[in-house]
């Protein structure tokens, strides 16, 4: 089994991005900038946004974290997003999800200017993705595709089985894998016989949000397994698949942590840089 080392690949890509940013700064251009909005104090979200901020610092992207009270009124969040939309010095805006239930997440995501949508979640950017038009891509699916490409895993003709149908991972990764020539099956909580599907998979992308959803018996020998999950079990971070069992039969497998997570952050940084370049070109 070959470990899909997202940590290493992300570091290499981050370094390449840093070189590009350093070059622009030498030419007296301003640095790219990302505004990160966190509502409430969900510990997992807090740790994600800290990781994103740290990564921004490493590559030379300026970032500002807005930590808002859990009970913030929607109109105050609307005002903040509108202010950031107008700010010429802001290239990317990210609203960390999930947000508290009293806030309308779809409305707020679509309020972020589509030209500052670092996550690629805006309805227009998602629409462009589904119509195969050039657009900002959601970070986790983009990171997964970069990871597979780096290991020269050609998905064309593969049976790709995705577990999870979210707008953040499952649905967009299905689109990207289909564009790359894979035959797609998307499984979810209503799927009747999960292992029937997973056993057909040459490539398995698991974003179920629960540990041990996929065990060794459910995996075809030689399959490529990408684990998107992050769960805390007995104080330890684990993914959605049984890593120890599956490592004996998979051809490639992502670890958790240090697999998909760092690739997601790298894709976010690359998205921010892409938005920045378009933004400064249009100023
Ligand atoms: N919550 C879980 N994953 C993500 C992500 O990629 N972006 C944002 N904004 N929130 C998330």
């Amino acid at each position: 089994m070959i470990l899909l080392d997202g940590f290493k690949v992300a570091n290499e890509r981050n370094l390449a991005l840093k070189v590009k940013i350093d070059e622009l700064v030498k030419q007296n251009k301003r640095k790219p900038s990302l505004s990160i909005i966190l509502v409430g104090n969900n510990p997992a979200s807090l740790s994600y946004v800290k990781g994103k901020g740290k990564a921004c610092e490493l590559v030379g992207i300026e970032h500002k974290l807005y930590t808002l009270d859990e009970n913030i009124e929607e109109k105050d969040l609307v005002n903040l997003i509108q202010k950031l939309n107008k700010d010429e010095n802001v290239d990317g805006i990210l609203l960390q999800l999930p947000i508290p239930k009293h806030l309308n997440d779809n409305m707020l995501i679509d309020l972020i200017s589509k030209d500052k949508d670092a996550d690629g979640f805006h309805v227009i950017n998602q629409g462009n993705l589904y119509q195969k038009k050039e657009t900002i891509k959601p970070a986790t699916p983009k990171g997964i595709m970069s990871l597979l490409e780096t290991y020269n895993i050609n998905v064309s003709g593969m049976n790709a089985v995705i577990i999870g149908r979210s707008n953040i991972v499952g649905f967009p990764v299905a689109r990207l894998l289909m564009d790359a020539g894979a035959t797609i099956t998307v499984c979810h909580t209503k799927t009747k016989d999960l292992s029937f599907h997973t056993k057909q998979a040459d490539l398995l992308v698991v974003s179920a949000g629960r540990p041990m959803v996929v065990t060794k018996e459910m995996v075809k020998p030689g399959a490529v397994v990408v684990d998107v999950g992050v769960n805390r079990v007995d104080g330890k971070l684990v993914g959605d698949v049984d890593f120890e069992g599956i490592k004996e039969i998979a051809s490639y497998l992502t670890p958790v942590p240090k697999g998909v997570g760092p690739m997601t952050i790298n894709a976010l940084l690359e998205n921010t840089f892409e938005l920045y370049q378009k933004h400064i070109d249009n100023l």
Side-chain angles (χ1 to χ4, degrees):
M1 183 275 291
I2 296 173
L3 203 66
L4 292 170
D5 190 342
F7 185 69
K8 177 166 157 260
V9 175
N11 280 343
E12 285 164 4
R13 294 181 74 100
N14 289 345
L15 198 63
L17 187 58
K18 182 179 184 321
V19 170
K20 283 192 205 166
I21 294 172
D22 285 349
E23 192 52 44
L24 288 166
V25 171
K26 259 191 227 149
Q27 296 164 16
N28 291 323
K29 300 247 167 62
R30 73 161 169 83
K31 289 181 171 180
S33 102
L34 175 67
S35 292
I36 302 176
I37 306 172
L38 173 67
V39 186
N41 39 25
N42 175 325
S45 293
L46 193 60
S47 134
Y48 293 144
V49 299
K50 275 193 186 153
K52 289 171 184 179
K54 213 170 109 189
C56 283
E57 267 163 41
L58 286 174
V59 301
I61 292 178
E62 300 218 327
H63 73 285
K64 187 153 184 198
L65 173 61
Y66 294 85
T67 310
L68 308 176
D69 190 88
E70 182 152 16
N71 299 313
I72 188 171
E73 280 189 46
E74 194 168 75
K75 69 173 176 25
D76 294 331
L77 192 46
V78 165
N79 285 341
L80 172 63
I81 292 174
Q82 285 175 334
K83 186 182 92 160
L84 296 172
N85 279 343
K86 282 193 212 121
D87 188 336
E88 285 301 351
N89 290 313
V90 172
D91 304 297
I93 304 169
L94 177 158
L95 175 62
Q96 184 66 31
L97 301 174
I99 54 176
K101 291 269 179 293
H102 70 282
L103 303 168
N104 180 341
D105 49 5
N106 280 332
M107 181 276 286
L108 292 162
I109 286 167
D110 291 343
L111 191 67
I112 294 172
S113 160
K114 71 170 180 42
D115 301 319
K116 296 193 177 187
D117 172 29
D119 266 323
F121 292 166
H122 191 286
V123 66
I124 291 183
N125 291 327
Q126 291 230 337
N128 282 334
L129 179 74
Y130 297 133
Q131 293 196 2
K132 278 178 85 166
K133 292 177 185 153
E134 203 40 51
T135 192
I136 283 290
K137 297 186 179 96
T140 301
K142 175 173 165 150
I144 291 171
M145 298 306 288
S146 302
L147 190 59
L148 295 173
E149 272 160 35
T150 305
Y151 282 84
N152 294 316
I153 298 170
N154 179 4
V155 302
S156 183
M158 280 190 178
N159 287 337
V161 175
I162 297 135
I163 304 181
R165 54 177 161 174
S166 70
N167 280 341
I168 295 180
V169 184
F171 202 42
V173 86
R175 174 76 245 186
L176 293 177
L177 288 168
M178 189 159 71
D179 287 350
T183 301
I184 304 301
T185 304
V186 180
C187 299
H188 45 75
T189 44
K190 299 281 187 290
T191 299
K192 280 195 181 127
D193 184 353
L194 186 61
S195 66
F196 166 80
H197 296 286
T198 58
K199 280 180 192 159
Q200 320 288 321
D202 304 308
L203 168 64
L204 194 51
V205 179
V206 188
S207 178
R210 277 173 297 123
M212 293 299 232
V213 169
V214 178
T215 53
K216 184 180 167 185
E217 307 71 50
M218 298 167 72
V219 176
K220 179 161 99 172
V224 178
V225 180
V226 175
D227 188 350
V228 183
V230 185
N231 308 288
R232 197 169 279 278
V233 175
D234 300 331
K236 204 173 148 235
L237 285 186
V238 297
D240 290 351
V241 313
D242 173 18
F243 182 89
E244 289 306 318
I246 291 172
K247 76 176 187 199
E248 291 167 19
I249 57 166
S251 57
Y252 294 88
L253 176 60
T254 56
V256 176
K258 300 198 172 180
V260 173
M263 293 303 298
T264 296
I265 295 185
N266 165 258
L268 170 71
L269 302 179
E270 292 187 358
N271 277 352
T272 304
F273 185 68
E274 199 178 314
L275 294 171
Y276 158 80
Q277 279 190 307
K278 285 203 185 115
H279 190 188
I280 57 171
D281 284 352
N282 286 331
L283 282 180

